[in-house]
Amino acid sequence: MKSNALGNEGNPARLLIKVTRDTLPQVKEKYPFLYLEKGRMEIDDSSIKWIDCDCNVVRLPVAMLNCILLGPGTTVTHEAVKVMAAANCGICWVGDDSLMFYASGQTPTSNTRNMTHQMKLAANPAKSLEVARQLFAYRFPDANLETKTLPQMMGMEGLRVRKFYEEMAVKYKVGWKGRRFEPGNFEMSDTTNKILTAANAALYSIIMSAAHSMGYSPHIGFIHSGSPLPFIYDLADLYKQQVSIDLAFAMTAEMAGYYDRHKIAAEFRKRVIEIDLLGKIGPDIETILGKKQCLS
Amino acid sequence: MLVVVANDLPPAVRGRMKLWFIEPRANVFVSGVRDSLARKVVDYLHEHCPPKSGLMIFNSSNTCPGYEIFGLGDTRKEITEISGLPLVIEKSAEPPPDNPNSLTPDVPKPQ
C-alpha cells in the first residue's frame, strides 16, 4: 500500500508499502463475499474504492474480503485488479443469469507447496481414489465405502441427492420436478431451480477464492473431471446441502413464486456465516487430502 | 471491546458511562465488556443520548466480520452496509439535508 510522505528536502515522495503474505489475514478470518453491481471500482492511494450509481464513495477493505462478486453494470480499473490480486482477494464476475466468470490473482510471495501436494495425490490413481473416498465419507459417515469404485460411489451420491431433493420438497411443501439447469436459460427455470443455480454460483465463487488463496488448484479434481473447475465442484458438494439446497426449498415456499435475488443473497450470506464456511474449508481440505508434507 | 466516540454528551450520561468505560481522551470511551453486556450498554446509550451527541459505537464481536458499528445523531460520516459488512460512505453526491458534515471537503494533496 502507498502513502504520501515528505522526503528530506520537503518534497513529497511516494512511499511504497509492499503487501507481503504475512500482512494478509488467513482465509478463515476473512469476510466471505461482497456483491456489487452498477458502479465503478478503482483505486485511490492504493486502496480500493467503490463508487456506486448514486456517486457514493465507499472504501473496501479488500485484504479482509475473501472475494468480490461483481454484478452487471460494473466497471473496474486495471490498477484495482492489481491491488486486489496483491491483497489475495478473488474477483468473480457474476452475470444476471448467474453464470460466473472468474479471475484470480496471487501474491508473488505465495508458494506452491499445497498445489504440489494436491498434484501428487491426483497423479496417482490409487491415492486419487482414496481422496474421492474421503470426500464421499464426509457426506456418508456411516456407509462402508472400502470396496466401492468411483462410479459406484458417484451412483450412490446421485441417488442420495435426488432423495434429499424430494425430502426437502415434502418438508417445505414445494412442487419438485427435478433439477434442471440450462446454461443461458436461467429465466425459464422454476423458482427452486433458479435459487439453486444462483446460490451454487455464489458458493463456487467463495470456495474458489478460498481454495486459490490457500494455494490449491481449482483445476485438479478427484471426483469431478472434464469440467473447468473440478476441485471446486468436489468441495462445493460438501456444503451444498446446508447452504444451497435447503435454502432453495425454504425460500421457494417463503417467496410464493416471486424471485427476489436480494432476499436470497441475504439468506445465503447468513447461512455461509452461520456454518463458518471459511473457517471450515481449510481444515476440511486438510482432512480430505491428508496431512501436508512440509518438506515436499 | 467496546469503543464509543462522541461529539458531545450530556454530563449525566458521561458520568454514568464511566461505570463501564475509561476515557483516555475527551469523549472517547474504551471498555472491555463482553458481547452480551455490550448490547445492553449500546441500548442504554441509544435511549439516553440526544441526537446531537453524535455517538459512534464500535464493538468487537465474535461473529463475522468481527466488528459492529452503531451510529447515533450526527456521526459526520454515514455508515452503510454492503452484503452485511458495515462500511463507511466517504462522500455522497448530495449530503443528507440534516447532516451537513457528511460531505467532507477534499484535503489538497501536496504538490
Side-chain angles (χ1 to χ4, degrees):
Chain A
M1 308 269 166
K2 293 173 191 172
S3 69
N4 284 327
L6 288 178
N8 287 341
E9 292 163 14
N11 293 327
R14 297 289 262 183
L15 174 67
L16 184 74
I17 301 169
K18 210 175 166 194
V19 181
T20 52
R21 206 169 176 79
D22 57 322
T23 57
L24 294 173
Q26 289 188 331
V27 168
K28 63 179 178 198
E29 293 156 7
K30 291 187 180 188
Y31 194 70
F33 71 99
L34 283 194
Y35 174 77
L36 302 170
E37 63 176 19
K38 297 184 187 72
R40 180 178 165 80
M41 195 149 67
E42 55 183 60
I43 72 148
D44 192 357
D45 280 338
S46 298
S47 75
I48 303 282
K49 65 179 180 185
W50 167 249
I51 307 162
D52 69 12
C53 52
D54 299 320
C55 295
N56 294 315
V57 178
V58 179
R59 299 274 173 167
L60 304 178
V62 284
M64 288 301 294
L65 303 176
N66 175 51
C67 70
I68 290 185
L69 309 183
L70 291 178
T74 42
T75 318
V76 55
T77 63
H78 178 282
E79 194 65 17
V81 174
K82 205 169 117 186
V83 171
M84 284 171 69
N88 226 341
C89 173
I91 312 171
C92 219
W93 279 265
V94 186
D96 233 356
D97 51 1
S98 286
L99 288 178
M100 59 169 188
F101 310 91
Y102 186 68
S104 67
Q106 281 197 311
T107 48
T109 49
S110 60
N111 76 43
T112 51
R113 188 184 62 194
N114 284 344
M115 203 193 283
T116 312
H117 178 55
Q118 186 187 357
M119 296 292 177
K120 278 183 183 165
L121 292 173
N124 181 328
K127 284 186 181 169
S128 173
L129 182 64
E130 197 42 51
V131 172
R133 205 165 274 148
Q134 285 284 346
L135 281 159
F136 284 114
Y138 190 97
R139 280 169 288 164
F140 310 103
D142 305 327
N144 181 12
L145 302 171
E146 291 268 317
T147 53
K148 297 272 190 296
T149 61
L150 187 59
Q152 281 172 333
M153 289 190 284
M154 286 171 85
M156 279 170 67
E157 167 65 4
L159 273 177
R160 197 191 63 97
V161 171
R162 270 198 295 279
K163 205 171 138 219
F164 186 67
Y165 281 137
E166 276 154 25
E167 278 170 16
M168 287 294 112
V170 172
K171 182 178 169 193
Y172 291 106
K173 299 188 178 68
V174 171
W176 177 247
K177 289 181 193 144
R179 176 83 177 114
R180 278 190 196 91
F181 168 60
E182 290 171 40
N185 212 356
F186 181 67
E187 285 305 315
M188 294 305 286
S189 308
D190 58 49
T191 312
T192 318
N193 269 303
K194 267 190 209 170
I195 303 174
L196 271 172
T197 307
N200 285 344
L203 180 65
Y204 296 149
S205 319
I206 298 170
I207 294 179
M208 187 147 43
S209 307
H212 222 292
S213 310
M214 290 185 281
Y216 293 102
S217 166
H219 309 299
I220 308 296
F222 297 91
I223 297 173
H224 294 82
S225 60
S227 44
L229 305 162
F231 190 51
I232 303 310
Y233 304 143
D234 286 357
L235 292 174
D237 280 349
L238 308 181
Y239 313 108
K240 261 185 194 170
Q241 202 163 315
Q242 292 152 293
V243 296
S244 355
I245 304 179
D246 189 73
L247 168 106
F249 284 93
M251 294 298 281
T252 307
E254 208 174 291
M255 290 191 307
Y258 174 68
Y259 182 79
D260 178 351
R261 61 201 175 101
H262 296 291
K263 217 169 154 185
I264 293 160
E267 185 61 28
F268 174 76
R269 187 183 65 240
K270 209 175 104 194
R271 290 186 181 220
V272 166
I273 292 176
E274 242 170 42
I275 68 159
D276 190 20
L277 178 65
L278 293 185
K280 274 168 104 168
I281 193 160
D284 282 350
I285 294 180
E286 221 161 88
T287 315
I288 286 157
L289 298 188
K291 285 259 179 269
K292 268 180 292 191
Q293 294 153 351
C294 291
L295 294 172
S296 63
Chain B
M1 188 169 82
L2 193 61
V3 177
V4 176
V5 180
N7 296 345
D8 185 28
L9 278 176
V13 176
R14 195 167 168 178
R16 183 46 64 92
M17 290 269 286
K18 289 177 195 170
L19 291 180
W20 300 285
F21 296 86
I22 60 159
E23 193 178 5
R25 268 182 91 140
N27 289 318
V28 176
F29 302 87
V30 180
S31 160
V33 295
R34 285 181 192 282
D35 279 12
S36 54
L37 183 55
R39 186 55 67 140
K40 285 186 184 152
V41 176
V42 170
D43 290 345
Y44 167 81
L45 291 175
H46 271 100
E47 205 176 307
H48 292 96
C49 292
K52 71 164 191 173
S53 309
L55 278 191
M56 196 147 237
I57 305 167
F58 311 93
N59 183 27
S60 124
S61 96
N62 286 328
T63 48
C64 199
Y67 65 90
E68 290 173 303
I69 300 180
F70 308 91
L72 176 70
D74 171 18
T75 52
R76 301 200 180 152
K77 289 215 173 171
E78 224 180 304
I79 303 292
T80 183
E81 194 186 278
I82 299 179
S83 299
L85 181 71
L87 293 166
V88 178
I89 296 183
E90 298 207 338
K91 282 181 216 161
S92 317
E94 284 173 357
D98 56 339
N99 191 359
N101 287 324
S102 73
L103 189 68
T104 340
D106 275 343
V107 181
K109 288 187 179 169
Q111 294 299 310

